[in-house]
Amino acid sequence: MENKLAGKFTFASLLSFAIPNVIMMITLSMYIIVDGMFVSRLAGTTALSAVNMIYPAICFEMAIGIMIATGGSAIAARKLGEGKQREAQKILSFLIVVELVIGIVFAVAGNLFLEEIVLLLGASERQLPMSLAYGRIIFAFAPAFFLQTAFQTFLVTAGKPALGLMVTVSAGIVNIVLDFIFMAPLDMGVSGAALATGLGYCVPAVVGSVFFLKKKENPLHLVRPAVDWKVLRQSCANGSSEMVVNLANAATTFLFNYILLDFYGEDGVASITILLYFQYLFTALYFGYSNGIAPIISFKYGSGDQEQLKKIFKCSILFLIISSVLANILIQLTVTHALTIFTPADSRVYDIALNGFWLYSPAFLIMGLGIFASSMFTAFSDGKISAVISFSRTFIFIVGAILILPYLLGGAGIWIAVPLAEILGFFVAIIFLISRKDRYAYA
């Protein structure tokens, strides 16, 4: 069976390949956003802040799962480009087992030490019971979450982005419908939101299992797994930039929660939660595109097709410019109405969030290049450079800015921290893109 990655890509065909993954990533972000909308409106903004207190722990889950999935899928795609299908199948099979085992460990350990985790993350006395209720269920579904993450990534590598999109949209619909049922008629509060999200995870986990077990005619399918620690090490190293992104999200959310509790109380935590929802949509757009075309880059690099690599790079820069400008115009025009989805316009949470948005939103315009550059180097299996780009724009710049600026500029410093960090990260990405263009022949 011919691999779709072997074809010649134009701007239009590249977009048609990537768009399903973009929609898939946006749908994934909607898991969190829809939960937040229902929680905020049906359980209150204090409950919304309580859910956000557990989010750093969820980011840690994401960091491990995405690291293995993206790092391993890049290796598998390169093997397919080299004509080594059996090796690619073995990589897929082993890493799926690894993801499942890690998910079980998270489920057990997360529930055993949940109260200690929530207290460590700084939950207030009012937030603690709701954070525990939400976290207990979310951790129980960790195995499904890890399988979901792996299968959604490998479906793109298998040349089936449309199937990945269909599965993710189905999971999103399940999540939304169950959110309403569990939180409105059944009045389950944050526990209902967590249960709806967990059951949403199960849809891609089940469908992915069936697809990779049944579709033997596909170049990438499950075979009898064999332990390969070298592949696991390479996957972790290659996907380390994606891990850094999610660990940085955990650190950023934790620091925002801590500082905003100090400045504004629980209303401040609810406000940053709402602004982070806007950020999830933008990062979903950029990650969706970057991860969507990553298997193509890996395949073309493995097959030595320099002409296509240059074409893909130019098309990607054009996409990032157009999409970031249009998306920012849209969000600027709709923000006042969008905020009311979560909180009434006459509330203190609304005022804090709206005032913070105007200082925070420039970050949305420039974060795309750093995300794309990091993903591209991952696709080249250059995990070191990919990790440096991610680490600098997230851990070093964002964490540093959040720790310093609020105490120099007061409340305004909280919101300026992320745009400043993204500007610095932009320059780091430019430096590496220029310095490595001859080695990888993408420009």
Side-chain angles (χ1 to χ4, degrees), residues 173-186:
I173 293 172
V174 168
N175 184 34
I176 293 170
V177 171
L178 293 180
D179 262 325
F180 174 76
I181 293 172
F182 293 154
M183 296 194 69
L186 298 182

Side-chain angles (χ1 to χ4, degrees), residues 75 79 86-88 90-95 97-98 225-236:
I75 298 171
K79 293 294 184 184
R86 188 65 178 177
E87 290 187 32
K90 288 182 178 180
I91 289 169
L92 164 69
S93 305
F94 173 58
L95 294 181
V97 173
V98 170
V227 175
D228 192 336
W229 300 118
K230 181 180 179 181
V231 164
L232 181 57
R233 288 195 299 270
Q234 289 175 340
S235 299
C236 292

Side-chain angles (χ1 to χ4, degrees), residues 1 4 39 45 138 163 166 229 265 269-270 275-276 282 284 289 304 310 329 362 372-373 380 384 437:
M1 183 175 180
K4 292 183 179 180
V39 169
T45 53
I138 286 295
L163 177 60
M166 182 182 71
W229 300 118
V269 177
L275 291 192
L276 288 175
F282 279 90
Y289 176 81
K310 292 177 181 179
I329 291 173
F372 170 72
F380 289 137
K384 181 178 179 180
K437 65 180 181 179

Side-chain angles (χ1 to χ4, degrees), residues 37-196:
M37 180 185 70
F38 278 104
V39 169
S40 184
R41 280 300 189 174
L42 298 178
T45 53
T46 300
L48 178 64
S49 71
V51 168
N52 199 47
M53 296 305 292
I54 199 71
Y55 187 66
I58 299 172
C59 285
F60 187 69
E61 267 191 332
M62 292 181 185
I64 304 300
I66 292 175
M67 173 185 67
I68 296 171
T70 56
S73 67
I75 298 171
R78 192 179 76 245
K79 293 294 184 184
L80 290 173
E82 295 168 351
K84 301 175 181 178
Q85 290 188 9
R86 188 65 178 177
E87 290 187 32
Q89 292 162 5
K90 288 182 178 180
I91 289 169
L92 164 69
S93 305
F94 173 58
L95 294 181
I96 292 300
V97 173
V98 170
E99 295 266 26
L100 178 59
V101 170
I102 294 175
I104 294 171
V105 171
F106 266 87
V108 174
N111 273 283
L112 283 176
F113 303 104
L114 182 59
E115 186 167 355
E116 290 83 355
I117 292 170
V118 172
L119 290 173
L120 181 65
L121 294 174
S124 69
E125 187 176 343
R126 293 176 63 197
Q127 294 168 328
L128 181 60
M130 291 177 283
S131 296
L132 290 173
Y134 189 84
R136 190 171 293 111
I137 296 172
I138 286 295
F139 274 120
F141 281 96
F145 172 81
F146 277 87
L147 287 179
Q148 168 194 258
T149 302
F151 285 135
Q152 285 169 334
T153 303
F154 276 104
L155 279 171
V156 177
T157 306
K160 299 292 183 180
L163 177 60
L165 168 62
M166 182 182 71
V167 170
T168 304
V169 169
S170 299
I173 293 172
V174 168
N175 184 34
I176 293 170
V177 171
L178 293 180
D179 262 325
F180 174 76
I181 293 172
F182 293 154
M183 296 194 69
L186 298 182
D187 195 23
M188 294 174 64
V190 294
S191 296
L195 183 58

